[in-house]
Each structure stands twice: as structure tokens, then as C-alpha cells.
């Protein structure tokens, strides 16, 4: 029986673990299929405060893990099959059937960027293919970039990337954009953005030196084309990793966990959420880490019996 189990090892989960461990709560941290979270799929992180020269994403995450271990956090790798939140202590069932119990749970399972699933894409992540303009845009100064997607994320990423790129080509599989009018207008008014609509991405073309193009199907002509580019930003949405909760915790319609505004409390007392699994807006390592700290402090307070649960179901 644990006082607290943290599920997920991105910046949110590891920060929660550091705080819980320093409060002598001996947390168990469950590491899933992507140890260290999304930052392990990026290269250099230049916007995490405290590293004036930048730090590699995997190194930053390894450091956070070491810091949590130093104060006594216990780690184990496992895939959680199911969670029973109906009574405390909460029960987690791991693949293989083993069960674990905890008085509080901190859910920090993050959100996974969606990929196109085309040849050449995954092989070139960190070598020209990215799912995060804020993280990687800086590396494409003066270069031509493609952004794929037709939603608000794609418009936002395309606009942001024009700060660095010489040209941003927006590739979308249909003629109509899904993005809100205001975001579309902003992108359309940006002279650095050009449009390749009605194009379905087929293959990322790369040499050993990096990405050189995107092969697309022109849905009007039925012909294949290659759009030259030095970078490809895939902005087709994120999926919050909440399936394993099987609907027991309140989420929004996409699946992001709802937390009480200004806290990490979910609708189930004793269960807290932090990081991208509850954040569809900021999605930064530093905001995830900050919310991990909040979750640990909320769990600590809950364990002391002083938590006030005035959850009203409001959406943050
Ligand atoms: P989204 O609205 O679901 O849009 C995803 C886009 O990617 C769609 O245009 C979709 O094409 C395309 N797409 C999906 N799968 C694809 C595939 N396999 N191949 C090619 N294209 C594919 O996702 P989002 O843009 O990330 O936005 C998610 C939510 O966050 C929305 O509610 C959005 O309003 C919100 N958001 C708001 C802001 C803001 O207000 N500042 C910024 C970002 C996001 P189809 O249109 O053809 O389906």
C-alpha cells in the first residue's frame, strides 16, 4: 500500500515525485511505454529555465528522474490495464495481473502528438520532423518548412514558425480548413505562409542529412507531387492518454482530464492530475512541471486530511 502512486514520468510526474519524496511520502512512480515523456523525442531544450546553454530533452528528463530517486521515489515499469477509483485505497491492475494500492493517485500520463503514420516520418523525428513548433522552430531559422494540418494548432504553429522560417507551406488534406475563422484569417494574412490544400501527405523524403521533401497526393489531379522542404511540422492534434481510466474520471469531450480551476483536483477526491493530460492549452515542460508540483502539494494536503473538496464540475 502506497501513500501516493504517480502514473507517468514526464516533467509533471517527475516533479510531483520529487515533491512527494521530499515530503517523506515514498511515492511509487509508474513508468509507461514512453519513459520521460514527449521531451525524450525532442533534441535540444532551450526554454527550460536554469539551462542558459540549453539541455538535451533526454538528459533533462534523466536528471529529473535522478533527483526524484535521490529523495527516495521508487520506480517501476509497467502498463496499467485498469484502475478502480470507486473506493479508497485506489487499486491499479498492471498487465500481468499484479495489483497495487494507494491512498492518492497522481495522473500525469501526458498527451501524445498524433502522427501521420506515413513512411519516413517516425525515422526523422528530431532530424527535420517535429510535432512542436515552440520546441523546435528555432532550429529552422531561414529555412523552408511545411506544416501539416487544418485545425487551430496548424494555424498557430504555421504563424509561429514564420518568425524563423523563410517560407511556411501549409499542407492540408482538404480544401476547407477546420480552424476557427480568426486563426485562419491570421494565417491567410501572413505573407510568409503559402498554401497547398487538397494534398494528402504520402511520404517524408529524407537523406542522411535530414528532410528534403514531402511527397503528397494532389486530390484534384490525382497526381503525386513532391514539395521541397527542410522541416516538417505535424500539427494534426494530440491524444490525451486517459483511455486506461475507462471513463471513471471526468474528462472533456477530447479526453483531457478536468481539474478544479487553480488546482490539480479531479472529480474523485484523492485523485489529482497534472501536465498535458489535463492541459490542452500550454503544453510546455515548464507548465507541466509546475502543475506536477501543485499535484504533489494537493496530495500531501489531502493525506493530512485538510483538503477541502468543493469540486463543482467547473471546467478550467
Ligand atoms: P483538430 O482541430 O482536431 O484538427 C486536426 C487537423 O489535422 C484537421 O484539420 C484534420 O483534418 C487534420 N488531420 C487529422 N488527422 C490527419 C491525418 N492522418 N492526415 C492529415 N491530416 C490530418 O486538432 P488541433 O488543431 O490540435 O485542435 C485541437 C483543439 O484545440 C481544438 O478544439 C482547437 O480549437 C484547440 N486549439 C485552440 C488553439 C487556440 O485557440 N489558440 C490553438 C490550438 C488548438 P480534417 O480537417 O480533414 O479532419
Amino acid at each position: 500500500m502506497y501513500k501516493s502512486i504517480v502514473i507517468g514520468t514526464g516533467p509533471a510526474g517527475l516533479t510531483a515525485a520529487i515533491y512527494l519524496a521530499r515530503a517523506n511520502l515514498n511515492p511509487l512512480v509508474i513508468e509507461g511505454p514512453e519513459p520521460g515523456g514527449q521531451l525524450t523525442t525532442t533534441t535540444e531544450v532551450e526554454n527550460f529555465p536554469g539551462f542558459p546553454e540549453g539541455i538535451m530533452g533526454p538528459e533533462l528528463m534523466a536528471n529529473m528522474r535522478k533527483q526524484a530517486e535521490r529523495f527516495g521515489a521508487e520506480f517501476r515499469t509497467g502498463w496499467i490495464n485498469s484502475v478502480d477509483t470507486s473506493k479508497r485505497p485506489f487499486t491499479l491492475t498492471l498487465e500481468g495481473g499484479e495489483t497495487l494500492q494507494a491512498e492518492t493517485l497522481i495522473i500525469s500520463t501526458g498527451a501524445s502528438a498524433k502522427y501521420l503514420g506515413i513512411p519516413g516520418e517516425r525515422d526523422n523525428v528530431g532530424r527535420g520532423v517535429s510535432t512542436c513548433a515552440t520546441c523546435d522552430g528555432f532550429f529552422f531559422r531561414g529555412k523552408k518548412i511545411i506544416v501539416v494540418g487544418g485545425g487551430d494548432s496548424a494555424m498557430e504553429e504555421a504563424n509561429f514558425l514564420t518568425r524563423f522560417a523563410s517560407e511556411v507551406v501549409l499542407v492540408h488534406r482538404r480544401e476547407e480548413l477546420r480552424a476557427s475563422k480568426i486563426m485562419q484569417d491570421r494565417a491567410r494574412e501572413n505573407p510568409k505562409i503559402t498554401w497547398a490544400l487538397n494534398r494528402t501527405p504520402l511520404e517524408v523524403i529524407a537523406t542522411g542529412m535530414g528532410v528534403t521533401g514531402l511527397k503528397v497526393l494532389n486530390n484534384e489531379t490525382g497526381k503525386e507531387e513532391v514539395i521541397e522542404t527542410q522541416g516538417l511540422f505535424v500539427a494534426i492534434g494530440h491524444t490525451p492518454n486517459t483511455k486506461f481510466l475507462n471513463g471513471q474520471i471526468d474528462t472533456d469531450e477530447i479526453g483531457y482530464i478536468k481539474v478544479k480551476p487553480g488546482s490539480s483536483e479531479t472529480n474523485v477526491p484523492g485523485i489529482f492530475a497534472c501536465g498535458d493530460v489535463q492541459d490542452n492549452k500550454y503544453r510546455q515542460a515548464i507548465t507541466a512541471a509546475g502543475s506536477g508540483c501543485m499535484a504533489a502539494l494537493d496530495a500531501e494536503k489531502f493525506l493530512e486530511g485538510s483538503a477541502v473538496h468543493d469540486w463543482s464540475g467547473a471546467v478550467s
Side-chain angles (χ1 to χ4, degrees), residues 7 33 79-83 85 106-112 238-259 266-267 271-280:
I7 310 172
W79 181 260
I80 297 169
N81 261 353
S82 63
V83 180
T85 65
I106 293 187
I107 302 171
S108 48
T109 44
S112 304
H238 285 75
T239 310
N241 299 317
T242 47
K243 262 207 180 118
F244 72 103
L245 295 168
N246 209 11
Q248 294 174 87
I249 308 261
D250 284 354
T251 64
D252 67 11
E253 63 285 356
I254 306 174
Y256 287 91
I257 294 178
K258 289 183 189 173
V259 291
T266 68
N267 63 312
I271 301 188
F272 306 90
C274 52
D276 286 11
V277 76
Q278 52 83 59
D279 174 17
N280 192 7

Tab-separated table of all heavy atoms in Angstrom, residues 7 33 79-83 85 106-112 238-259 266-267 271-280:
chain	number	residue	atom	x	y	z
A	7	ILE	N	1.488	8.225	-11.833
A	7	ILE	CA	1.441	7.464	-13.093
A	7	ILE	C	1.955	8.363	-14.207
A	7	ILE	O	1.307	9.351	-14.570
A	7	ILE	CB	0.007	6.990	-13.413
A	7	ILE	CG1	-0.610	6.299	-12.203
A	7	ILE	CG2	0.006	6.071	-14.625
A	7	ILE	CD1	-2.094	5.980	-12.366
A	33	PRO	N	5.043	3.338	-21.430
A	33	PRO	CA	5.744	2.972	-22.668
A	33	PRO	C	6.683	4.042	-23.193
A	33	PRO	O	7.527	3.751	-24.043
A	33	PRO	CB	4.599	2.736	-23.656
A	33	PRO	CG	3.432	3.467	-23.093
A	33	PRO	CD	3.606	3.517	-21.618
A	79	TRP	N	2.601	-1.400	-17.475
A	79	TRP	CA	1.473	-0.919	-18.261
A	79	TRP	C	0.234	-1.123	-17.410
A	79	TRP	O	-0.049	-2.235	-16.962
A	79	TRP	CB	1.395	-1.708	-19.574
A	79	TRP	CG	0.277	-1.245	-20.435
A	79	TRP	CD1	-0.938	-1.839	-20.560
A	79	TRP	CD2	0.255	-0.093	-21.272
A	79	TRP	NE1	-1.719	-1.122	-21.420
A	79	TRP	CE2	-1.020	-0.040	-21.875
A	79	TRP	CE3	1.196	0.911	-21.556
A	79	TRP	CZ2	-1.382	0.965	-22.749
A	79	TRP	CZ3	0.823	1.909	-22.430
A	79	TRP	CH2	-0.440	1.928	-23.024
A	80	ILE	N	-0.501	-0.051	-17.150
A	80	ILE	CA	-1.676	-0.191	-16.292
A	80	ILE	C	-2.873	-0.621	-17.133
A	80	ILE	O	-3.258	0.075	-18.071
A	80	ILE	CB	-1.961	1.129	-15.552
A	80	ILE	CG1	-0.781	1.433	-14.641
A	80	ILE	CG2	-3.258	1.041	-14.745
A	80	ILE	CD1	-0.802	2.792	-14.057
A	81	ASN	N	-3.407	-1.739	-16.772
A	81	ASN	CA	-4.571	-2.263	-17.505
A	81	ASN	C	-5.861	-1.603	-17.054
A	81	ASN	O	-6.700	-1.270	-17.865
A	81	ASN	CB	-4.692	-3.778	-17.282
A	81	ASN	CG	-4.108	-4.542	-18.439
A	81	ASN	OD1	-3.728	-3.959	-19.444
A	81	ASN	ND2	-4.032	-5.851	-18.299
A	82	SER	N	-6.002	-1.446	-15.727
A	82	SER	CA	-7.238	-0.827	-15.236
A	82	SER	C	-7.008	-0.177	-13.881
A	82	SER	O	-6.027	-0.462	-13.188
A	82	SER	CB	-8.345	-1.876	-15.122
A	82	SER	OG	-7.967	-2.843	-14.175
A	83	VAL	N	-7.924	0.718	-13.553
A	83	VAL	CA	-7.857	1.443	-12.282
A	83	VAL	C	-9.236	1.358	-11.653
A	83	VAL	O	-10.238	1.529	-12.340
A	83	VAL	CB	-7.527	2.936	-12.540
A	83	VAL	CG1	-7.450	3.705	-11.239
A	83	VAL	CG2	-6.229	3.087	-13.306
A	85	THR	N	-11.371	3.330	-9.150
A	85	THR	CA	-11.405	4.588	-8.395
A	85	THR	C	-12.648	4.648	-7.511
A	85	THR	O	-12.943	5.693	-6.932
A	85	THR	CB	-11.422	5.795	-9.361
A	85	THR	OG1	-12.652	5.763	-10.096
A	85	THR	CG2	-10.259	5.772	-10.327
A	106	ILE	N	-1.686	10.282	-8.578
A	106	ILE	CA	-1.390	11.466	-9.385
A	106	ILE	C	-1.277	11.003	-10.829
A	106	ILE	O	-0.427	10.173	-11.162
A	106	ILE	CB	-0.110	12.163	-8.899
A	106	ILE	CG1	-0.388	12.743	-7.505
A	106	ILE	CG2	0.330	13.235	-9.892
A	106	ILE	CD1	0.688	13.592	-6.930
A	107	ILE	N	-2.160	11.506	-11.649
A	107	ILE	CA	-2.175	11.071	-13.049
A	107	ILE	C	-1.424	12.094	-13.888
A	107	ILE	O	-1.802	13.278	-13.957
A	107	ILE	CB	-3.611	10.912	-13.563
A	107	ILE	CG1	-4.345	9.897	-12.680
A	107	ILE	CG2	-3.620	10.447	-15.017
A	107	ILE	CD1	-5.821	9.819	-12.944
A	108	SER	N	-0.347	11.632	-14.473
A	108	SER	CA	0.487	12.523	-15.299
A	108	SER	C	0.918	11.748	-16.541
A	108	SER	O	2.101	11.658	-16.846
A	108	SER	CB	1.692	12.999	-14.484
A	108	SER	OG	2.319	11.916	-13.830
A	109	THR	N	-0.064	11.184	-17.200
A	109	THR	CA	0.223	10.308	-18.341
A	109	THR	C	0.379	11.070	-19.652
A	109	THR	O	0.618	10.454	-20.696
A	109	THR	CB	-0.894	9.243	-18.481
A	109	THR	OG1	-2.159	9.895	-18.303
A	109	THR	CG2	-0.762	8.167	-17.437
A	110	GLY	N	0.223	12.397	-19.597
A	110	GLY	CA	0.533	13.213	-20.765
A	110	GLY	C	-0.440	13.063	-21.920
A	110	GLY	O	-1.519	12.472	-21.809
A	111	ALA	N	-0.024	13.640	-23.020
A	111	ALA	CA	-0.801	13.533	-24.253
A	111	ALA	C	0.206	13.206	-25.349
A	111	ALA	O	1.347	13.655	-25.305
A	111	ALA	CB	-1.500	14.850	-24.561
A	112	SER	N	-0.219	12.416	-26.276
A	112	SER	CA	0.705	12.057	-27.352
A	112	SER	C	0.320	12.803	-28.613
A	112	SER	O	-0.862	12.820	-28.995
A	112	SER	CB	0.636	10.551	-27.619
A	112	SER	OG	0.905	9.858	-26.429
A	238	HIS	N	-3.527	16.212	-30.694
A	238	HIS	CA	-2.934	15.388	-29.633
A	238	HIS	C	-3.999	14.452	-29.073
A	238	HIS	O	-5.179	14.773	-29.124
A	238	HIS	CB	-2.415	16.260	-28.484
A	238	HIS	CG	-1.158	16.970	-28.804
A	238	HIS	ND1	-1.120	18.072	-29.624
A	238	HIS	CD2	0.110	16.743	-28.416
A	238	HIS	CE1	0.138	18.473	-29.738
A	238	HIS	NE2	0.909	17.694	-29.010
A	239	THR	N	-3.547	13.361	-28.511
A	239	THR	CA	-4.479	12.455	-27.835
A	239	THR	C	-4.055	12.353	-26.379
A	239	THR	O	-2.954	11.879	-26.095
A	239	THR	CB	-4.407	11.041	-28.461
A	239	THR	OG1	-4.514	11.184	-29.873
A	239	THR	CG2	-5.520	10.165	-27.948
A	240	PRO	N	-4.901	12.820	-25.448
A	240	PRO	CA	-4.538	12.664	-24.030
A	240	PRO	C	-4.584	11.189	-23.655
A	240	PRO	O	-5.456	10.449	-24.128
A	240	PRO	CB	-5.638	13.453	-23.293
A	240	PRO	CG	-6.760	13.572	-24.264
A	240	PRO	CD	-6.196	13.472	-25.642
A	241	ASN	N	-3.630	10.772	-22.833
A	241	ASN	CA	-3.530	9.344	-22.500
A	241	ASN	C	-4.401	9.026	-21.286
A	241	ASN	O	-3.906	8.912	-20.160
A	241	ASN	CB	-2.065	8.974	-22.266
A	241	ASN	CG	-1.235	9.230	-23.509
A	241	ASN	OD1	-1.655	8.921	-24.626
A	241	ASN	ND2	-0.067	9.835	-23.339
A	242	THR	N	-5.686	8.904	-21.542
A	242	THR	CA	-6.632	8.687	-20.440
A	242	THR	C	-7.512	7.459	-20.660
A	242	THR	O	-8.428	7.220	-19.873
A	242	THR	CB	-7.561	9.927	-20.266
A	242	THR	OG1	-8.058	10.336	-21.542
A	242	THR	CG2	-6.826	11.077	-19.641
A	243	LYS	N	-7.236	6.716	-21.696
A	243	LYS	CA	-8.091	5.547	-22.010
A	243	LYS	C	-8.162	4.564	-20.859
A	243	LYS	O	-9.201	3.989	-20.572
A	243	LYS	CB	-7.547	4.838	-23.260
A	243	LYS	CG	-8.277	5.224	-24.525
A	243	LYS	CD	-8.213	4.087	-25.554
A	243	LYS	CE	-8.942	4.498	-26.812
A	243	LYS	NZ	-8.081	4.553	-27.967
A	244	PHE	N	-6.994	4.373	-20.193
A	244	PHE	CA	-6.928	3.364	-19.128
A	244	PHE	C	-7.858	3.693	-17.953
A	244	PHE	O	-8.139	2.841	-17.127
A	244	PHE	CB	-5.473	3.205	-18.646
A	244	PHE	CG	-4.971	4.371	-17.838
A	244	PHE	CD1	-4.876	4.285	-16.453
A	244	PHE	CD2	-4.596	5.548	-18.443
A	244	PHE	CE1	-4.414	5.354	-15.695
A	244	PHE	CE2	-4.140	6.632	-17.697
A	244	PHE	CZ	-4.053	6.527	-16.332
A	245	LEU	N	-8.335	4.937	-17.898
A	245	LEU	CA	-9.223	5.319	-16.795
A	245	LEU	C	-10.658	4.850	-17.036
A	245	LEU	O	-11.495	4.867	-16.123
A	245	LEU	CB	-9.206	6.846	-16.613
A	245	LEU	CG	-7.861	7.413	-16.169
A	245	LEU	CD1	-7.848	8.919	-16.305
A	245	LEU	CD2	-7.559	6.993	-14.731
A	246	ASN	N	-10.905	4.464	-18.262
A	246	ASN	CA	-12.192	3.864	-18.604
A	246	ASN	C	-13.391	4.706	-18.155
A	246	ASN	O	-14.381	4.186	-17.638
A	246	ASN	CB	-12.258	2.465	-17.972
A	246	ASN	CG	-13.126	1.542	-18.795
A	246	ASN	OD1	-13.499	1.882	-19.929
A	246	ASN	ND2	-13.479	0.409	-18.230
A	247	GLY	N	-13.261	6.026	-18.309
A	247	GLY	CA	-14.393	6.915	-18.040
A	247	GLY	C	-14.666	7.180	-16.563
A	247	GLY	O	-15.675	7.798	-16.218
A	248	GLN	N	-13.763	6.720	-15.666
A	248	GLN	CA	-14.059	6.892	-14.232
A	248	GLN	C	-13.735	8.286	-13.715
A	248	GLN	O	-14.131	8.660	-12.620
A	248	GLN	CB	-13.268	5.871	-13.404
A	248	GLN	CG	-13.701	4.446	-13.672
A	248	GLN	CD	-12.786	3.480	-12.951
A	248	GLN	OE1	-12.988	3.152	-11.802
A	248	GLN	NE2	-11.758	3.039	-13.623
A	249	ILE	N	-12.943	9.043	-14.479
A	249	ILE	CA	-12.591	10.406	-14.081
A	249	ILE	C	-13.194	11.327	-15.147
A	249	ILE	O	-13.117	11.019	-16.343
A	249	ILE	CB	-11.062	10.597	-14.081
A	249	ILE	CG1	-10.393	9.509	-13.257
A	249	ILE	CG2	-10.652	11.994	-13.641
A	249	ILE	CD1	-10.002	9.835	-11.890
A	250	ASP	N	-13.747	12.443	-14.716
A	250	ASP	CA	-14.368	13.370	-15.674
A	250	ASP	C	-13.327	13.953	-16.626
A	250	ASP	O	-12.271	14.444	-16.178
A	250	ASP	CB	-15.037	14.537	-14.930
A	250	ASP	CG	-16.355	14.103	-14.300
A	250	ASP	OD1	-16.777	12.952	-14.540
A	250	ASP	OD2	-16.940	14.926	-13.578
A	251	THR	N	-13.659	13.894	-17.900
A	251	THR	CA	-12.786	14.498	-18.912
A	251	THR	C	-13.644	15.386	-19.814
A	251	THR	O	-14.871	15.318	-19.773
A	251	THR	CB	-12.124	13.419	-19.800
A	251	THR	OG1	-13.148	12.738	-20.531
A	251	THR	CG2	-11.316	12.415	-19.013
A	252	ASP	N	-12.958	16.179	-20.653
A	252	ASP	CA	-13.717	16.916	-21.660
A	252	ASP	C	-13.993	15.978	-22.829
A	252	ASP	O	-13.634	14.793	-22.787
A	252	ASP	CB	-12.996	18.209	-22.084
A	252	ASP	CG	-11.703	17.951	-22.845
A	252	ASP	OD1	-11.443	16.791	-23.229
A	252	ASP	OD2	-10.931	18.902	-23.046
A	253	GLU	N	-14.584	16.521	-23.884
A	253	GLU	CA	-15.015	15.617	-24.971
A	253	GLU	C	-13.836	14.993	-25.711
A	253	GLU	O	-13.945	13.905	-26.287
A	253	GLU	CB	-15.989	16.334	-25.939
A	253	GLU	CG	-15.468	17.525	-26.700
A	253	GLU	CD	-15.334	18.799	-25.846
A	253	GLU	OE1	-15.716	18.812	-24.649
A	253	GLU	OE2	-14.819	19.787	-26.399
A	254	ILE	N	-12.650	15.649	-25.643
A	254	ILE	CA	-11.480	15.056	-26.323
A	254	ILE	C	-10.836	13.981	-25.442
A	254	ILE	O	-10.174	13.080	-25.940
A	254	ILE	CB	-10.427	16.144	-26.684
A	254	ILE	CG1	-11.065	17.274	-27.499
A	254	ILE	CG2	-9.256	15.549	-27.460
A	254	ILE	CD1	-10.147	18.453	-27.778
A	255	GLY	N	-11.026	14.098	-24.123
A	255	GLY	CA	-10.419	13.112	-23.224
A	255	GLY	C	-9.464	13.731	-22.216
A	255	GLY	O	-8.867	13.016	-21.405
A	256	TYR	N	-9.297	15.072	-22.252
A	256	TYR	CA	-8.430	15.736	-21.261
A	256	TYR	C	-9.137	15.739	-19.905
A	256	TYR	O	-10.334	16.051	-19.825
A	256	TYR	CB	-8.134	17.185	-21.680
A	256	TYR	CG	-7.171	17.285	-22.834
A	256	TYR	CD1	-7.617	17.314	-24.151
A	256	TYR	CD2	-5.799	17.318	-22.598
A	256	TYR	CE1	-6.727	17.382	-25.211
A	256	TYR	CE2	-4.900	17.379	-23.652
A	256	TYR	CZ	-5.370	17.411	-24.949
A	256	TYR	OH	-4.483	17.464	-25.995
A	257	ILE	N	-8.392	15.404	-18.850
A	257	ILE	CA	-8.986	15.359	-17.508
A	257	ILE	C	-9.365	16.767	-17.066
A	257	ILE	O	-8.590	17.721	-17.237
A	257	ILE	CB	-7.991	14.731	-16.499
A	257	ILE	CG1	-7.759	13.260	-16.863
A	257	ILE	CG2	-8.495	14.864	-15.068
A	257	ILE	CD1	-6.749	12.542	-15.976
A	258	LYS	N	-10.559	16.884	-16.502
A	258	LYS	CA	-10.991	18.179	-15.970
A	258	LYS	C	-10.461	18.309	-14.548
A	258	LYS	O	-10.640	17.383	-13.740
A	258	LYS	CB	-12.510	18.250	-15.915
A	258	LYS	CG	-13.202	18.348	-17.252
A	258	LYS	CD	-14.681	18.487	-16.982
A	258	LYS	CE	-15.518	18.373	-18.224
A	258	LYS	NZ	-16.950	18.344	-17.921
A	259	VAL	N	-9.827	19.426	-14.265
A	259	VAL	CA	-9.408	19.675	-12.880
A	259	VAL	C	-10.113	20.921	-12.376
A	259	VAL	O	-10.505	21.786	-13.166
A	259	VAL	CB	-7.869	19.859	-12.736
A	259	VAL	CG1	-7.131	18.564	-12.993
A	259	VAL	CG2	-7.353	20.973	-13.628
A	266	THR	N	-9.207	16.315	-9.313
A	266	THR	CA	-10.184	15.809	-10.277
A	266	THR	C	-11.535	15.703	-9.566
A	266	THR	O	-11.663	16.092	-8.404
A	266	THR	CB	-9.774	14.420	-10.793
A	266	THR	OG1	-9.892	13.486	-9.720
A	266	THR	CG2	-8.352	14.417	-11.330
A	267	ASN	N	-12.505	15.115	-10.218
A	267	ASN	CA	-13.815	14.951	-9.563
A	267	ASN	C	-13.797	13.841	-8.510
A	267	ASN	O	-14.742	13.710	-7.750
A	267	ASN	CB	-14.911	14.661	-10.604
A	267	ASN	CG	-14.669	13.354	-11.335
A	267	ASN	OD1	-13.567	13.099	-11.806
A	267	ASN	ND2	-15.673	12.528	-11.423
A	271	ILE	N	-7.647	11.849	-6.106
A	271	ILE	CA	-7.000	11.646	-7.407
A	271	ILE	C	-6.732	13.020	-8.029
A	271	ILE	O	-7.637	13.860	-8.124
A	271	ILE	CB	-7.860	10.781	-8.356
A	271	ILE	CG1	-8.110	9.422	-7.698
A	271	ILE	CG2	-7.165	10.618	-9.703
A	271	ILE	CD1	-8.785	8.400	-8.577
A	272	PHE	N	-5.482	13.201	-8.397
A	272	PHE	CA	-5.028	14.501	-8.900
A	272	PHE	C	-4.442	14.323	-10.305
A	272	PHE	O	-3.927	13.248	-10.630
A	272	PHE	CB	-3.984	15.089	-7.938
A	272	PHE	CG	-4.495	15.148	-6.520
A	272	PHE	CD1	-4.308	14.087	-5.656
A	272	PHE	CD2	-5.221	16.246	-6.081
A	272	PHE	CE1	-4.824	14.107	-4.365
A	272	PHE	CE2	-5.741	16.293	-4.788
A	272	PHE	CZ	-5.544	15.219	-3.931
A	273	ALA	N	-4.524	15.382	-11.096
A	273	ALA	CA	-3.997	15.274	-12.462
A	273	ALA	C	-3.093	16.471	-12.730
A	273	ALA	O	-3.349	17.590	-12.256
A	273	ALA	CB	-5.143	15.245	-13.469
A	274	CYS	N	-2.031	16.230	-13.472
A	274	CYS	CA	-1.100	17.314	-13.789
A	274	CYS	C	-0.460	17.070	-15.149
A	274	CYS	O	-0.479	15.953	-15.664
A	274	CYS	CB	-0.034	17.451	-12.699
A	274	CYS	SG	0.824	15.915	-12.307
A	275	GLY	N	0.087	18.133	-15.709
A	275	GLY	CA	0.752	18.020	-17.009
A	275	GLY	C	-0.233	17.996	-18.167
A	275	GLY	O	-1.404	18.354	-18.020
A	276	ASP	N	0.242	17.527	-19.300
A	276	ASP	CA	-0.543	17.622	-20.529
A	276	ASP	C	-1.834	16.812	-20.517
A	276	ASP	O	-2.718	17.075	-21.324
A	276	ASP	CB	0.295	17.162	-21.738
A	276	ASP	CG	1.352	18.186	-22.128
A	276	ASP	OD1	1.575	19.133	-21.343
A	276	ASP	OD2	1.951	18.043	-23.205
A	277	VAL	N	-1.939	15.851	-19.609
A	277	VAL	CA	-3.164	15.048	-19.576
A	277	VAL	C	-4.369	15.908	-19.167
A	277	VAL	O	-5.512	15.538	-19.408
A	277	VAL	CB	-2.981	13.825	-18.641
A	277	VAL	CG1	-3.048	14.221	-17.169
A	277	VAL	CG2	-3.977	12.735	-18.958
A	278	GLN	N	-4.080	17.083	-18.573
A	278	GLN	CA	-5.161	17.997	-18.187
A	278	GLN	C	-4.962	19.389	-18.790
A	278	GLN	O	-5.584	20.353	-18.381
A	278	GLN	CB	-5.284	18.068	-16.648
A	278	GLN	CG	-3.982	18.367	-15.895
A	278	GLN	CD	-3.625	19.841	-15.801
A	278	GLN	OE1	-4.399	20.631	-15.269
A	278	GLN	NE2	-2.448	20.213	-16.307
A	279	ASP	N	-4.059	19.489	-19.757
A	279	ASP	CA	-3.747	20.818	-20.308
A	279	ASP	C	-3.740	20.778	-21.833
A	279	ASP	O	-2.787	20.302	-22.444
A	279	ASP	CB	-2.384	21.270	-19.772
A	279	ASP	CG	-1.913	22.571	-20.416
A	279	ASP	OD1	-2.740	23.292	-21.015
A	279	ASP	OD2	-0.704	22.862	-20.318
A	280	ASN	N	-4.783	21.308	-22.406
A	280	ASN	CA	-4.903	21.330	-23.864
A	280	ASN	C	-4.349	22.637	-24.417
A	280	ASN	O	-4.353	22.863	-25.617
A	280	ASN	CB	-6.396	21.204	-24.218
A	280	ASN	CG	-6.611	20.926	-25.683
A	280	ASN	OD1	-5.660	20.706	-26.431
A	280	ASN	ND2	-7.856	20.936	-26.105
